[in-house]
Amino acid sequence: SARCSNEVLAAVVLGLALLSPAAMAEPYLAVQKGLKCGTCHVSPSGGGLRTAYGNLYAQTEFAARTVKMGELWTGEIGKYLAVGGDLRASYQDIDVPGQPSASTDGLDELLAYVEIRPFPKYLSFYVDARLRPDDPVVREQYARASLPGGKWSVRVGEFFLPYGLRLQDDDAFIRQVSGINFNTPDKGWEVRYEGGPWSAQAAVTRGTAGGPEIDSGKQYSLRVSHVKATWRAGASFNLNDARIGDRQMQNIFAGLRTGPVTWLAEIDYIIDDGTPTGRRQSWATLVEATYGSRRGLNLKATCEWFDPDDDVSEDEQNRISLVWEYAPMQFVQARFGYRNYGGIPQNPGQNREQLFAELHLAF
C-alpha cells in the first residue's frame, strides 16, 4: 500500500539522517548574511536539507561556541549522498479568557532529509520525511535536473510551493491563511532560475495540497526575488483553479539588515471565489525584527495582522510575539517565547495568551 511504502521510505531516511548533524535556519539568517535561501538549503525558497555551506555556517558562525567533535560536518557522505534532519520538542501553556489554562508538552516533529546525486550538479533525487510524532509521512519527494552552469533547473514530484517567506512557524498568519506551509506540499513540476541577484521559481501543481486529483484545474505558483548584501525584495503570485471556486493570492515580501537588527516583512492579499457568502477578500501581514548583538543569541519581536473579510468591519485579528533564542553550541538551540492574540471579543480563542519553550536539535 502507499502508506506502507511511505513507512519503508521514511525508515530508510531516518537511518541515514541519524548518522549526521545539520544546521538550523530561518529567513532572517539569509538576510543577515546577504545570501539567497538556496545558498544554505537545497530548496531555492528555503527549508529542508541544508547544503554544505549551511552546515558549516551552523558550526562556525551560528552557535555561541563550537565544541570540538572531530572534523566539521558538511552533510555530505561522499560525492553522491547528502543527509540531515531536525528534532523539535516543546512545552506550551495557553490561557484563553474565561477558561482554565491548558498546557501541552512533547515531541513536535522529527524530520529527516536525504538527497541522492547519481550525477552531481545535474541530477538528484530528494526525500523529506516527517517520522514523528504521528505515523511516518513523506512530505517532499522529487527529482531535480539542472542545466550546465546551474542557472536553470527543473524538479518534478511532490514539493512545497514557492510562495512568500518560508517561515518555520506554520501558525503565522501569512503561512496559515495562505495555506502554503510545511503541511501542504503539492504534486507537479517547477522551473527554477538563479542568475546574479535574481531568483525565480514557477510551478504548476494539482492544487490539492498533496491529496488526490479531484478536477481538471491546476495551481499556478510564481515567486521572484532580488537579493543584495543588506536588503532583498520579492513578490509571489498563486492561482488555484479549483472546481469549488478559484483562489488567487499575491504578496510582496522584503528583508533588511540595519546593524544588529534584521527585518522581515510580508503583505498578502487573497481573493476567494465560491465561498458561501460569495467573493471574499482577505489580508495577512507580518513584520519581524531580530536583534542579535552576540553570536548564538537573538531576541525576536513579531507583529502580525489578519483581516479575514475586507467587507466586514471590526473582524480583524492580530498576534504579537516576543521570542528569546539561544544556541549554546552547534546543533542545539533553545527558544522561549510569549504570544498575545487579539480578535473579536465574542471569540475567546482569538484573545488567548501563550507561553512556550522549545528545544531544537539539528542533526
Side-chain angles (χ1 to χ4, degrees), residues 132-179:
R132 289 290 183 270
D134 301 316
D135 292 336
V137 58
V138 175
R139 307 192 305 175
E140 290 190 291
Q141 47 187 336
Y142 59 80
R144 183 174 67 181
S146 302
L147 294 178
K151 287 187 176 182
W152 290 94
S153 65
V154 61
R155 60 178 174 175
V156 179
E158 187 171 16
F159 48 85
F160 300 123
L161 298 181
Y163 185 81
L165 296 171
R166 185 63 58 84
L167 296 178
Q168 180 60 43
D169 180 14
D170 277 344
D171 289 331
F173 288 151
I174 60 172
R175 303 275 286 164
Q176 188 181 78
V177 176
S178 68

Side-chain angles (χ1 to χ4, degrees), residues 6-226:
N6 281 350
E7 289 180 350
V8 171
L9 184 55
V12 173
V13 173
L14 176 61
L16 291 169
L18 288 178
L19 297 172
S20 66
M24 307 149 197
E26 286 272 12
Y28 79 89
L29 292 173
V31 178
Q32 279 184 350
K33 298 294 294 182
L35 299 172
K36 297 179 180 179
C37 297
T39 305
C40 290
H41 290 272
V42 169
S43 172
S45 50
L49 182 67
R50 288 82 173 181
T51 62
Y53 176 88
N55 281 303
L56 294 175
Y57 168 77
Q59 296 165 89
T60 60
E61 297 184 55
F62 179 77
R65 60 183 60 83
T66 303
V67 178
K68 292 185 178 180
M69 297 181 177
E71 294 184 4
L72 294 177
W73 172 255
T74 65
E76 299 184 348
I77 302 176
K79 185 178 181 181
Y80 303 102
L81 179 66
V83 297
D86 288 287
L87 182 150
R88 290 182 175 86
S90 70
Y91 169 84
Q92 299 185 51
D93 184 88
I94 301 174
D95 185 10
V96 178
Q99 301 179 18
S101 61
S103 62
T104 61
D105 62 82
L107 178 65
D108 294 330
E109 60 183 11
L110 173 60
L111 306 173
Y113 322 113
V114 170
E115 185 182 36
I116 301 172
R117 307 163 179 164
F119 299 98
K121 297 184 179 180
Y122 299 108
L123 179 65
S124 65
F125 299 94
Y126 178 72
V127 175
D128 171 328
R130 178 186 287 118
L131 307 178
R132 289 290 183 270
D134 301 316
D135 292 336
V137 58
V138 175
R139 307 192 305 175
E140 290 190 291
Q141 47 187 336
Y142 59 80
R144 183 174 67 181
S146 302
L147 294 178
K151 287 187 176 182
W152 290 94
S153 65
V154 61
R155 60 178 174 175
V156 179
E158 187 171 16
F159 48 85
F160 300 123
L161 298 181
Y163 185 81
L165 296 171
R166 185 63 58 84
L167 296 178
Q168 180 60 43
D169 180 14
D170 277 344
D171 289 331
F173 288 151
I174 60 172
R175 303 275 286 164
Q176 188 181 78
V177 176
S178 68
I180 297 179
N181 51 54
F182 287 114
N183 293 312
T184 57
D186 208 0
K187 296 178 180 179
W189 57 267
E190 177 190 85
V191 175
R192 167 188 175 188
Y193 172 77
E194 299 289 342
W198 290 99
S199 179
Q201 303 91 42
V204 179
T205 57
R206 289 182 176 180
T208 59
E213 190 78 79
I214 57 176
D215 56 33
S216 60
K218 299 296 181 183
Q219 187 166 10
Y220 306 92
S221 306
L222 175 65
R223 182 182 187 271
V224 179
S225 62
H226 187 79

Side-chain angles (χ1 to χ4, degrees), residues 165 174 262-267 285-290 300-305 319 321:
L165 296 171
I174 60 172
T262 302
W263 300 86
L264 293 175
E266 180 174 316
I267 302 175
T285 67
L286 173 140
V287 176
E288 177 182 286
T290 301
K300 189 188 303 286
T302 307
C303 182
E304 303 172 64
W305 179 78
R319 187 175 83 153
S321 304

